[in-house]
Amino acid sequence: MRYIEINNKLFLVEQEIVKNSTKEVKVAKSLNHIFIYDRSGSMEGMLTTLIKDLKTRLRTVPIGDTVTLGYFSSPGEFRFPLKGLKVSGKSDFDNIDKVLDANNHTLGSTCFSEILADVKQVVKDLKPLGNTFALAFLTDGYPTVWPYDKEVKAIKSAIED
């Protein structure tokens, strides 16, 4: 087992699970996938490719799992345009594509803390659908809001929550 300490309350752990030789019955659990992406101005040359890659990745989400899409930019410019969509077939991916296409242009500066703080409510809202979550946070850089130290403190607080 290996781990990295992010701070005194948060660790990233890698552990190898050895499969038993006896047959086990596995019950598939649904997973709540949360994808949050950066729409700040610095993403100007990358956002179209990022959206294309997200569409490809989302098509690997198994039937029965849920998808949540969020984006962020300047302070106050963040949203979850799609929350808790339960994937039931191909048409759901076409609808997810429409949401991504509608949010495929850059907005302003880079503020992480607000959307990260809202993830706590998203988890609370979706918990009745399944207690397992996967979060992908996609950005090209650092927050660019002032005061920077206050933003970093707010980001760490949101992650701890």
Side-chain angles (χ1 to χ4, degrees):
M1 177 170 38
R2 300 181 324 173
Y3 69 92
I4 298 171
E5 183 175 354
I6 295 171
N7 66 35
N8 65 349
K9 294 182 182 178
L10 185 62
F11 296 85
L12 180 61
V13 178
E14 176 186 29
Q15 179 179 4
E16 183 178 343
I17 306 295
V18 179
K19 187 176 179 181
N20 291 339
S21 60
T22 61
K23 283 194 170 186
E24 295 178 20
V25 177
K26 291 186 178 182
V27 177
K29 290 185 177 181
S30 63
L31 184 62
N32 296 296
H33 302 265
I34 303 171
F35 294 88
I36 298 174
Y37 64 100
D38 186 345
R39 287 183 62 190
S40 66
S42 64
M43 294 292 290
E44 180 72 36
M46 296 176 272
L47 190 56
T48 300
T49 302
L50 174 65
I51 295 296
K52 180 182 172 210
D53 290 346
L54 261 174
K55 289 177 182 181
T56 300
R57 168 60 180 93
L58 285 163
R59 279 171 168 64
T60 68
V61 171
I63 301 296
D65 285 7
T66 67
V67 172
T68 297
L69 297 174
Y71 66 78
F72 63 93
S73 187
S74 298
E77 286 186 313
F78 68 96
R79 215 175 128 225
F80 286 97
L82 183 68
K83 187 162 75 169
L85 174 71
K86 190 165 192 166
V87 176
S88 60
K90 182 187 177 320
S91 64
D92 291 324
F93 297 117
D94 296 337
N95 289 329
I96 292 169
D97 288 353
K98 290 175 186 172
V99 172
L100 287 167
D101 289 340
N103 295 287
N104 188 11
H105 59 278
T106 57
L107 297 171
S109 63
T110 310
C111 178
F112 298 170
S113 63
E114 294 171 330
I115 192 127
L116 287 172
D118 265 16
V119 169
K120 183 176 181 178
Q121 185 63 47
V122 170
V123 168
K124 184 177 178 182
D125 292 344
L126 298 179
K127 205 169 185 176
L129 303 176
N131 198 26
T132 308
F133 291 84
L135 172 65
F137 189 82
L138 308 161
T139 184
D140 68 337
Y142 297 93
T144 59
V145 294
W146 189 255
Y148 179 79
D149 292 343
K150 183 179 176 185
E151 173 66 2
V152 170
K153 185 176 180 180
I155 290 167
K156 288 180 178 180
S157 176
I159 290 170
E160 285 179 10
D161 285 347

